[in-house]
Amino acid sequence: MTVRKIFSIFSFLAFLIPAVYAQSDCTLQSELIFDDWNLESGTFGGLQSSYRFTEVTDGVDAIVTIVDMRNARLVSLDLGNTGAWNAFQPQVEMRTQRYGGTSAYMDFQFTFVIGGTTTPIDLGNWTATAIDIDGDDYRLREVVVFGGATAYTTESSTKLSTQILNLWGETSYAFMAKRVDTEDGISVTATAHMVSMEFENAHTFYYRAGVVDNGGSSGWSDAPDRMFSLNFTPCLIESYVNPRREEIELSFPVEWLSFDATPNTQGVVLNWATAYEENNQMFVVQRSTDGVSYTDLHMLPATGNKIGVSEYSFVDRTADKGTYFYRIMQQDIDGAHSHTQIEEVVISEDRWATVHAELQGQVLKIAAQYADYARLRIVHSSGLEMYKGTVEGMYEVKDLDVSRWSEGAYWVVMITPNGHKTHATFIKR
């Protein structure tokens, strides 16, 4: 059987089962110190800007690169006046652009290199602990995501929810505050708001610092500056009172190749491709209006077993004007599943409201497409209205006898409930 995730997204049944906690000797792991840094390339806070932390351990530097961001900007790369001086503590300002459900994040890539060079070097075993993953007592919930780890530890009574993603081309684990609450300060004793990630023989890993907005006014949030603390002291893993450790299995039954969502006159066109599938049963197209809660739109059978590219497509013809989030869920034959990344689509107009008219002899064929009720009019160039009707459904074809109509130019006009007009023309001779 293919190695795959050990539990499904947002499934917490695994936390109800007692686990054997295998604690290694933390003193044998590398302790990494993030203190002195300088701008390596790019402009401060810019996408793909890189920063070199010198001597994170003997003879080793760390290059930290901002690889992605959304609704966020960097205020300070590494705060030293709070928390732990040796931790990586970026201060990120989060912009919430819509009323509730907005996510904001900044993605960092860490690469350990031989001091003074750009040559990667494996560090053996080491641990990174994200501390103080909470909220702001009002509306924001913090979330951190890791890629490249082999195991993680949380408190058994953790206040963090766990989600498995496929980000950065690998198995990634997200940890988000379950509730909007706050711990005072950056405390290593508030273990219900901590997670410790274990890495083995890795020179690169990914880290996302982000928030989810629970609702409130648009614009800058009431607590826009969030400080995230990532501590590399290995013995912090011994701080948990009743630890819960989970191994991370690093492969999926599906290797995602691409996914995109694009609105056009047909609907929102979803295209995705896989590079490899084994025991894959189906794909489920999922849509959300807040980026948090998703509903299933459509199920497609999968190739099943294939080495090589497989391409899939689906058109969502049901979304009205607004903001939508799409993802594709893959489910294999024994129920395990994974997701693509999330694609956001903003529909600002009455999209795919289209009408086509074709005169065939004395019969006018009208093909109208709209997701809801719309009015339909046909007007002669003289201004005389020749037809009035409605469109009530996604796609409707009408055949009209125009044998008694006068010669000349005609306009076929479709009017949506908010007044948006689209039209077609034809000439009767």
Side-chain angles (χ1 to χ4, degrees):
M1 182 177 67
T2 304
V3 177
R4 52 177 59 86
K5 303 188 308 296
I6 53 177
F7 57 91
S8 60
I9 295 174
F10 282 106
S11 172
F12 302 109
L13 293 178
F15 287 94
L16 303 179
I17 305 172
V20 176
Y21 179 66
Q23 174 65 56
S24 59
D25 187 350
C26 66
T27 60
L28 299 180
Q29 297 185 20
S30 300
E31 179 171 4
L32 307 176
I33 296 175
F34 282 72
D35 186 16
D36 296 325
W37 65 272
N38 55 72
L39 182 64
E40 181 86 352
S41 64
T43 58
F44 180 83
L47 193 61
Q48 298 302 321
S49 58
S50 294
Y51 313 83
R52 181 182 292 266
F53 285 82
T54 57
E55 287 291 308
V56 295
T57 189
D58 291 343
V60 176
D61 296 346
I63 297 178
V64 180
T65 303
I66 299 175
V67 294
D68 197 9
M69 65 178 76
R70 174 183 177 185
N71 300 335
R73 62 189 179 195
L74 189 65
V75 177
S76 175
L77 180 67
D78 187 31
L79 284 177
N81 58 357
T82 186
W85 69 271
N86 60 338
F88 174 67
Q89 299 185 150
Q91 182 184 11
V92 182
E93 192 168 32
M94 305 297 187
R95 182 167 179 79
T96 54
Q97 296 178 328
R98 286 174 295 279
Y99 187 89
T102 302
S103 64
Y105 57 78
M106 185 166 288
D107 289 354
F108 301 91
Q109 179 189 47
F110 288 69
T111 302
F112 298 107
V113 298
I114 297 173
T117 75
T118 57
T119 303
I121 181 173
D122 291 338
L123 295 185
N125 299 340
W126 47 278
T127 301
T129 300
I131 299 169
D132 192 41
I133 308 169
D134 55 10
D136 68 352
D137 271 336
Y138 175 50
R139 66 192 235 191
L140 296 182
R141 290 185 293 162
E142 293 180 348
V143 57
V144 296
V145 186
F146 291 90
T150 57
Y152 70 87
T153 297
T154 60
E155 196 69 78
S156 291
S157 57
T158 184
K159 294 183 179 180
L160 307 178
S161 61
T162 307
Q163 183 180 12
I164 307 172
L165 305 173
N166 186 13
L167 292 180
W168 311 300
E170 61 188 6
T171 308
S172 305
Y173 275 65
F175 302 88
M176 182 170 64
K178 293 180 182 179
R179 295 176 296 277
V180 179
D181 56 3
T182 299
E183 290 289 341
D184 292 334
I186 311 300
S187 172
V188 297
T189 62
T191 53
H193 287 279
M194 286 171 42
V195 59
S196 297
M197 311 299 297
E198 299 175 39
F199 298 84
E200 294 181 5
N201 300 318
H203 57 68
T204 299
F205 78 98
Y206 292 87
Y207 170 66
R208 169 174 292 182
V211 299
V212 171
D213 182 9
N214 278 353
S217 59
S218 298
W220 295 106
S221 82
D222 297 274
D225 293 352
R226 309 300 296 172
M227 193 275 277
F228 296 83
S229 184
L230 186 60
N231 197 305
F232 295 85
T233 302
C235 290
L236 281 178
I237 203 169
E238 296 183 348
S239 300
Y240 298 95
V241 177
N242 186 16
R244 171 75 190 188
R245 185 176 184 272
E246 292 284 353
E247 298 282 349
I248 294 176
E249 302 188 30
L250 296 179
S251 64
F252 286 99
V254 163
E255 181 181 344
W256 299 102
L257 191 61
S258 63
F259 170 54
D260 61 77
T262 306
N264 65 17
T265 56
Q266 299 178 14
V268 178
V269 180
L270 310 175
N271 293 298
W272 66 98
T274 62
Y276 168 86
E277 296 181 33
E278 183 174 352
N279 297 328
N280 187 25
Q281 183 179 36
M282 72 176 73
F283 293 102
V284 181
V285 178
Q286 297 181 321
R287 188 181 72 188
S288 171
T289 56
D290 60 10
V292 178
S293 301
Y294 285 82
T295 57
D296 296 344
L297 289 184
H298 187 71
M299 291 186 294
L300 289 84
T303 300
N305 294 281
K306 182 179 178 180
I307 298 176
V309 176
S310 296
E311 296 180 336
Y312 302 88
S313 183
F314 173 74
V315 181
D316 177 15
R317 304 179 187 274
T318 63
D320 293 322
K321 184 168 59 176
T323 299
Y324 298 91
F325 302 87
Y326 290 90
R327 68 186 184 186
I328 308 298
M329 183 184 77
Q330 164 275 327
Q331 181 172 304
D332 67 359
I333 58 176
D334 66 0
H337 57 273
S338 66
H339 288 94
T340 62
Q341 81 275 12
I342 296 170
E343 288 290 314
E344 180 180 0
V345 172
V346 178
I347 302 170
S348 57
E349 301 293 337
D350 288 308
R351 79 281 178 272
W352 60 83
T354 61
V355 61
H356 300 277
E358 182 181 357
L359 190 61
Q360 298 179 0
Q362 297 298 318
V363 176
L364 177 65
K365 288 189 172 292
I366 301 174
Q369 180 173 283
Y370 185 57
D372 202 346
Y373 170 86
R375 291 180 291 126
L376 195 65
R377 299 175 63 228
I378 302 177
V379 181
H380 187 259
S381 57
S382 65
L384 181 64
E385 184 177 75
M386 303 299 296
Y387 175 84
K388 181 184 293 185
T390 61
V391 175
E392 298 181 7
M394 175 49 62
Y395 189 77
E396 187 170 344
V397 176
K398 294 179 180 291
D399 290 345
L400 300 179
D401 181 1
V402 296
S403 60
R404 296 176 179 271
W405 292 12
S406 301
E407 294 182 351
Y410 290 83
W411 282 262
V412 181
V413 183
M414 185 165 67
I415 308 171
T416 64
N418 67 0
H420 178 77
K421 297 179 180 180
T422 185
H423 72 274
T425 61
F426 70 95
I427 297 176
K428 185 175 185 294
R429 291 185 171 88

